[in-house]
Amino acid sequence: MHDEAASHYIDMIDQTTLGHRFIKNHFNRAPRAGWQIDPFGHSAVQAYLLGAELGFDSVHFARIDYQDREKRKVDKSLEVVWRGSKTFGSSSQIFANAFPRHYSPPDGFSFEAFGDGLEAPVQDNPLLFDYDVEQRVNDFIAAALTQANVTRTNHIMWTMGDDFQYQYAESWFKQMDKLIHYVNKDGRMNALYSTPSIYTDAKNAADESWPLKTDDYFPYADSPNAYWTGYYTSRPALKRYIRMLSGYYLAARQLEFLGVGKFTGISTFSLGDALGIAQHHDAVSGTSKQHTTNDYAKRLAIGATEAQAVINSALSCITSSSGNQYGAPNLKLNQCQLLNISFCPSTEEDIPKKQSLVVVAYNPLGWSRTEVIRIPVNHSNFVIQDSEGNIIEGQYIAMDNSTINLRNFYTKAYLGVSPKQGPMYWLLFQVSVPPLGWNTYFISKMALKGESGNGYISVIESPLNETIEVGPGNLKMSFSVMSGQLQRMFNSKTGADVPMQQSYLWYGSSQGDVDSTTGSNAYIFVPNGSIPHDVARSVPLKVIRGPLVDEVHQQFSPWIYQVTRLYKDKEHAEVEFTIGPIPSDDGIGKEVIARMTTNMATDKVFYTDSNGRDFLKRVRDYREDWNLTVAQPVAGNYYPITLGAFIMDKKSEFSVLVDCAVGGASIKDGEVELMLHRRILYDNGGPVDTLNETVCTEDKCEGLSVRGSYYMSINQLGTGALWRRTTGQEVYSPLLLAFTKENMEDWKTSHSLKATSMSSNYSLPLNVALITLQELDDGSVLLRLAHLYEAGEHAEYSTMAQVELKKIFSGKMIKEIKETNLSANQEKWEMRRLKWTVEGENGEEPSPIRGDPINNSTLIVELGPMEIRTFLLKF
């Protein structure tokens, strides 16, 4: 069972595909039911995408809010028709079965074997004094009637088991056999072994109408003071590692198909397998024990190392001008997995005489992109050339102490060795890369034939006024020189202008008490008060300007450092944070947030994404399905954020995108807060270890530090979707950089410097993403295309899109194409959907826009809003 809060929809699809194809290959079966009994809340994307679009008829789960469950018991609405998509409506609905209690059997009917015998065996030997068949049958019928009174139709489901049970399965089946025999012999009820699909068919066959569910099941609480919203952020380093490798895996599979094929002795399978395991609802959620978390990370690292070999080999193949695609490549290229903390030997080490540093940038997106990349270097006398020989501008920024300290400690912790003296500068330069293609850049240490170096060395600016304005492009930010705090964001091109403050705060972690019984733990967020503590009210400020980017460095505390970057050609601010080690000397656990405060009148409303796909409306202190009693005004208003969140008023939109899963809220109008890190010092009743992550070298242990980024943009009302969707894709799929050192002229004569794997001058529409391009073991190719916009989300892009497969696969002949369901375990035409009657519905509903079946002649794929189409191709 994958998690439904912290998982990205592409990871959910990949994991499900891996499992479904295994079942298909080994058992020739296609599952019809989703069994999500234990995730801590349930997403709209799970309902319609990882449910209906798979061909499922039903999804079954145990965990819904305790208030929601009690209300649903009263009106018999535990089982509903769930329409998780506003865009697709009834065309992607699914029957959802929420259990009336936990996923264990009714009291008295657990048959686990312990050292001293069974818990509650059925004694059917009449010669023994404890013979109890009649009593057990009566108890069975009473429990069944109790459940029948809160559900509809004459069919009920009992889940017979629980966590860590069936260690001796025979004990269960012997007792269940007895119960079924004697209950059926009694005649008042019929008991049988069943499956979720059989149960769903029986419900569907009954002449019954069902309640309608249209949003999701977040947040989840199992008691008034136990909101399971802490895990949205728990173990942020693991969450970011998984997200980073998710985008890496997408690019690696593309290159595996384009460059090396599946039969060269190396593959991306290990990374896909590790990422699939990491989607577990106690993995990416951050709720596993530390040694289990270490195992997840180890599997991911092994998979990443093997995928790196695939990428290096593939890039060597496809950039070679010899045209020998599957020949043995000259493996020269290297990558830098620790680039975010400035550790990259390929760029730091001296460039030999007569050679250049060769940088190959690969773009996994289906459209062209221009980005500023940054690499660590030890000098400032480089000349940068593009693939056409043009000298391009570079910008040098001195390495900050926060990065130097991270690098020194974590390279020793990760690699076991102390690095040499760290680099002096970040070298920044702009690259332009075609869709599904690459471009090459050359960095030379000395001037070329009389040319002088072309770098701009940024210096710290000394402000002269009370307010300082930064931003080399359209987007500007102003900061108070006195307090060091952000005051305003405005865009000179669009006219968007929002007064804003940005700060860091922390909630103290509750240890629990007699009334609440549970404090904060890996799952649950319980602050010890509704007002968080300011980290700092006055912040030292450094401003660094340059032709490509302006940077604002802020030291909020010894354990929080922030760099805000405004790029010349970007309409957003990139905020890089470094948090940790979170201090623990005061004995108080801390849950650290970044809060953006505006003057926008938002009327309690904000929007968060569902697994990186749809955006859902959230209303503070409100639930659509029941009258909410608010016991935890902070934790009860937190929601999972996988892609981003935004607020709006009658004039403006303010949007934030994240680089990994976090928890977020809008506790007051005009605010957005993101929980970025947690350190909890006590167990507080949680079933896993205390969430007190530490990192050790040989002679030192300290609390975990995390570095990540979020992205902020302001837009006029109704125009923010384009930025959220386009930039969201760029954040998920960053440029892939590979390095080597070679004589520039020799490289140019033996390699293709710039190319796309698609037809020249072709790119995907801006509302379509290529989310899977993967060669399978049988030689077929799995292709998925996703429309990025919801119906009505954007005037121009919430429309039908067309993709020309002949141009995507330029130079290849598609011999066969089959459209399949989402997990590619059955052809599209084989999918059969049960029909359900919804209470009070008159049958009138606009039909969603969906693409027509693919034309085998033109090979043009149509995609309506939010549509994902999956194909198996043979070349």
Side-chain angles (χ1 to χ4, degrees):
M1 287 170 277
H2 51 239
D3 182 55
E4 298 184 40
S7 290
H8 193 276
Y9 78 94
I10 293 178
D11 290 325
M12 296 163 77
I13 293 171
D14 287 340
Q15 185 226 36
T16 303
T17 300
L18 187 67
H20 281 196
R21 289 187 63 81
F22 178 90
I23 293 170
K24 185 71 172 180
N25 291 338
H26 287 79
F27 304 104
N28 196 30
R29 290 290 184 269
R32 293 177 49 214
W35 192 247
Q36 291 290 109
I37 61 172
D38 201 23
F40 324 122
H42 306 281
S43 74
V45 160
Q46 177 68 38
Y48 84 88
L49 190 61
L50 275 297
E53 296 298 309
L54 290 172
F56 284 0
D57 295 312
S58 60
V59 60
H60 307 260
F61 46 82
R63 296 189 185 273
I64 65 173
D65 188 278
Y66 75 101
Q67 294 182 56
D68 192 14
R69 191 191 308 274
E70 291 309 309
K71 183 258 186 186
R72 292 181 181 279
K73 284 182 178 180
V74 172
D75 57 18
K76 295 189 176 183
S77 62
L78 286 164
E79 294 170 316
V80 298
V81 171
W82 191 2
R83 295 176 184 168
S85 169
K86 298 188 299 290
T87 297
F88 293 128
S90 62
S91 69
S92 277
Q93 68 188 19
I94 193 167
F95 181 75
N97 168 26
F99 303 159
R101 52 177 287 153
H102 196 54
Y103 47 77
S104 50
D107 294 339
F109 293 95
S110 178
F111 304 119
E112 189 66 13
F114 294 100
D116 56 353
L118 295 181
E119 288 186 71
V122 177
Q123 181 53 267
D124 60 347
N125 186 341
L127 299 178
L128 298 179
F129 291 117
D130 57 350
Y131 173 80
D132 63 356
V133 168
E134 288 83 0
Q135 183 61 48
R136 297 311 301 276
V137 168
N138 288 334
D139 290 345
F140 184 102
I141 291 173
L145 287 173
T146 297
Q147 183 166 333
N149 286 332
V150 299
T151 57
R152 305 187 185 196
T153 80
N154 292 327
H155 306 281
I156 62 172
M157 173 193 289
W158 279 9
T159 48
M160 300 299 291
D162 210 315
D163 297 334
F164 313 115
Q165 297 194 353
Y166 283 80
Q167 297 181 62
Y168 183 61
E170 185 180 4
S171 68
W172 279 88
F173 286 104
K174 275 188 174 181
Q175 301 305 314
M176 288 191 292
D177 285 347
K178 291 180 181 180
L179 275 175
I180 291 172
H181 171 73
Y182 290 114
V183 167
N184 291 341
K185 185 177 179 181
D186 175 85
R188 286 176 285 172
M189 286 189 177
N190 181 54
L192 70 156
Y193 289 115
S194 187
T195 67
S197 293
I198 293 173
Y199 175 78
T200 302
D201 287 341
K203 289 284 188 174
N204 182 257
D207 185 16
E208 183 66 64
S209 59
W210 301 94
L212 180 65
K213 169 78 174 174
T214 57
D215 55 354
D216 62 7
Y217 289 90
F218 288 120
Y220 160 65
D222 60 358
S223 65
N225 294 298
Y227 277 89
W228 295 48
T229 55
Y231 81 96
Y232 301 160
T233 300
S234 295
R235 301 195 187 277
L238 177 67
K239 282 180 165 65
R240 190 176 187 278
Y241 193 38
I242 291 170
R243 176 63 58 82
M244 181 189 78
L245 290 180
S246 174
Y248 191 69
Y249 179 51
L250 183 147
R253 285 178 291 169
Q254 293 177 0
L255 287 165
E256 186 174 43
F257 165 70
L258 296 171
V260 297
K262 293 287 288 186
F263 307 104
T264 55
I266 54 175
S267 80
T268 59
F269 177 82
S270 291
L271 180 55
D273 185 60
L275 280 168
I277 293 170
Q279 303 314 309
H280 186 274
H281 63 278
D282 273 318
V284 68
S285 59
T287 55
S288 59
K289 292 181 179 292
Q290 186 61 56
H291 66 272
T292 310
T293 301
N294 294 342
D295 184 70
Y296 291 135
K298 183 176 182 178
R299 291 172 183 271
L300 290 166
I302 292 170
T305 300
E306 294 183 11
Q308 182 171 284
V310 171
I311 290 170
N312 291 339
S313 180
L315 283 174
S316 295
C317 285
I318 66 176
T319 61
S320 173
S321 57
S322 67
N324 184 15
Q325 186 181 21
Y326 296 110
N330 183 7
L331 296 177
K332 299 178 179 179
L333 296 169
N334 296 291
Q335 298 164 57
C336 297
Q337 298 289 353
L338 299 179
L339 191 59
N340 70 319
I341 59 170
S342 81
F343 184 73
C344 185
S346 295
T347 68
E348 297 175 50
E349 294 169 357
D350 198 34
I351 301 174
K353 191 175 181 180
K354 297 185 178 180
Q355 290 191 358
S356 297
L357 174 65
V358 182
V359 182
V360 179
Y362 175 75
N363 176 18
L365 295 183
W367 57 72
S368 299
R369 64 200 293 189
T370 298
E371 304 275 352
V372 173
I373 64 171
R374 47 199 300 120
I375 59 175
V377 295
N378 269 308
H379 303 283
S380 59
N381 60 339
F382 294 113
V383 173
I384 310 163
Q385 288 182 281
D386 64 15
S387 54
E388 298 175 355
N390 301 310
I391 294 177
I392 60 175
E393 189 171 37
Q395 180 179 343
Y396 297 88
I397 298 178
M399 199 65 62
D400 59 89
N401 288 332
S402 175
T403 300
I404 292 170
N405 294 336
L406 274 183
R407 169 194 168 93
N408 290 342
F409 183 77
Y410 279 87
T411 50
K412 188 173 183 180
Y414 292 159
L415 306 177
V417 295
S418 297
K420 299 177 182 178
Q421 181 179 355
M424 296 178 62
Y425 300 100
W426 287 108
L427 170 59
L428 289 74
F429 59 96
Q430 194 172 70
V431 300
S432 297
V433 192
L436 225 65
W438 65 93
N439 202 352
T440 311
Y441 294 82
F442 301 92
I443 300 174
S444 304
K445 187 176 179 182
M446 58 187 69
L448 302 176
K449 296 182 180 180
E451 295 288 339
S452 59
N454 61 322
Y456 178 94
I457 302 177
S458 298
V459 295
I460 299 173
E461 179 177 305
S462 299
L464 301 176
N465 301 314
E466 293 182 358
T467 301
I468 186 167
E469 181 182 294
V470 297
N474 297 322
L475 183 66
K476 309 289 183 183
M477 301 177 84
S478 60
F479 292 80
S480 166
V481 173
M482 182 173 295
S483 69
Q485 297 277 14
L486 174 66
Q487 292 182 324
R488 178 175 171 235
M489 285 183 72
F490 60 99
N491 191 307
S492 59
K493 179 181 178 181
T494 66
D497 189 342
V498 178
M500 185 182 307
Q501 183 183 14
Q502 185 259 346
S503 55
Y504 287 90
L505 308 95
W506 56 270
Y507 293 101
S509 302
S510 172
Q511 299 180 33
D513 53 39
V514 175
D515 294 324
S516 68
T517 69
T518 299
S520 273
N521 56 44
Y523 301 89
I524 295 169
F525 170 38
V526 187
N528 61 11
S530 59
I531 306 299
H533 305 267
D534 282 292
V535 171
R537 296 184 182 275
S538 181
V539 184
L541 186 75
K542 292 193 302 184
V543 175
I544 300 172
R545 297 189 188 272
L548 300 176
V549 63
D550 286 355
E551 292 190 349
V552 179
H553 291 238
Q554 294 165 287
Q555 185 81 55
F556 284 82
S557 76
W559 52 280
I560 297 182
Y561 191 82
Q562 176 176 288
V563 182
T564 302
R565 301 186 178 99
L566 285 86
Y567 295 93
K568 180 177 66 174
D569 296 323
K570 297 293 183 181
E571 303 294 310
H572 63 259
E574 174 189 306
V575 181
E576 180 188 80
F577 59 86
T578 304
I579 302 176
I582 297 175
S584 58
D585 296 346
D586 57 4
I588 299 174
K590 296 175 179 65
E591 325 219 14
V592 184
I593 65 169
R595 175 182 288 172
M596 283 62 71
T597 303
T598 75
N599 67 346
M600 298 168 66
T602 54
D603 194 25
K604 297 186 176 182
V605 174
F606 78 120
Y607 298 81
T608 66
D609 71 283
S610 179
N611 303 113
R613 198 80 182 123
D614 307 63
F615 278 92
L616 302 184
K617 180 180 179 180
R618 310 298 192 183
V619 181
R620 189 167 61 252
D621 294 335
Y622 174 80
R623 301 293 186 267
E624 183 176 329
D625 293 333
W626 77 94
N627 293 322
L628 176 67
T629 298
V630 181
Q632 287 287 331
V634 176
N637 284 298
Y638 257 71
Y639 290 88
I641 298 175
T642 316
L643 168 64
F646 67 95
I647 56 176
M648 64 172 68
D649 61 12
K650 295 179 179 180
K651 181 181 177 182
S652 307
E653 296 181 26
F654 170 60
S655 305
V656 183
L657 298 181
V658 295
D659 67 351
C660 72
V662 299
S666 180
I667 302 301
K668 294 181 180 179
D669 281 4
E671 290 183 354
V672 174
E673 66 179 58
L674 307 174
M675 186 179 290
L676 302 176
H677 200 355
R678 312 178 76 211
R679 188 179 189 185
I680 300 171
L681 307 180
Y682 302 94
D683 179 31
N684 296 338
V688 300
D689 298 335
T690 301
L691 194 66
N692 183 13
E693 297 180 275
T694 57
V695 179
C696 297
T697 60
E698 292 178 354
D699 56 355
K700 180 182 179 182
C701 289
E702 63 180 35
L704 174 71
S705 293
V706 295
R707 170 168 282 186
S709 298
Y710 57 90
Y711 307 81
M712 305 191 302
S713 180
I714 55 171
N715 300 93
Q716 296 282 8
L717 181 64
T719 64
L722 176 61
W723 178 80
R724 289 189 291 270
R725 295 300 185 179
T726 303
T727 306
Q729 285 298 116
E730 294 170 350
V731 171
Y732 176 80
S733 290
L735 291 172
L736 194 155
L737 303 179
F739 309 95
T740 191
K741 295 182 177 72
E742 182 65 82
N743 179 277
M744 182 167 58
E745 297 306 320
D746 290 347
W747 186 275
K748 287 182 176 181
T749 58
S750 59
H751 290 80
S752 170
L753 302 184
K754 179 181 180 180
T756 172
S757 62
M758 303 197 295
S759 293
S760 59
N761 300 320
Y762 180 73
S763 65
L764 294 184
L766 270 180
N767 53 1
V768 174
L770 191 158
I771 62 172
T772 309
L773 178 58
Q774 177 182 4
E775 185 174 359
L776 303 176
D777 290 338
D778 61 2
S780 61
V781 173
L782 178 62
L783 171 71
R784 282 194 193 91
L785 297 164
H787 198 296
L788 296 174
Y789 289 79
E790 300 175 64
E793 185 177 4
H794 191 276
E796 180 179 355
Y797 292 115
S798 293
T799 55
M800 184 74 77
Q802 291 189 336
V803 175
E804 299 181 56
L805 297 189
K806 290 181 179 179
K807 292 185 177 180
I808 290 182
F809 299 102
S810 176
K812 297 179 182 290
M813 175 67 71
I814 299 175
K815 298 178 180 178
E816 181 181 306
I817 182 168
K818 296 178 181 178
E819 184 166 10
T820 71
N821 70 330
L822 189 66
S823 60
N825 68 345
Q826 56 186 307
E827 290 193 50
K828 191 81 169 180
W829 63 266
E830 295 179 282
M831 295 172 64
R832 296 290 184 266
R833 301 287 308 283
L834 298 177
K835 297 184 183 298
W836 301 89
T837 302
V838 173
E839 281 183 337
E841 192 165 67
N842 57 19
E844 296 178 4
E845 182 191 28
S847 298
I849 301 173
R850 289 184 183 263
D852 289 334
I854 188 169
N855 185 309
N856 286 325
S857 175
T858 63
L859 295 180
I860 292 177
V861 177
E862 295 180 332
L863 295 107
M866 278 288 106
E867 190 171 16
I868 297 179
R869 298 185 69 175
T870 305
F871 301 92
L872 289 174
L873 289 71
K874 290 186 177 179
F875 294 93

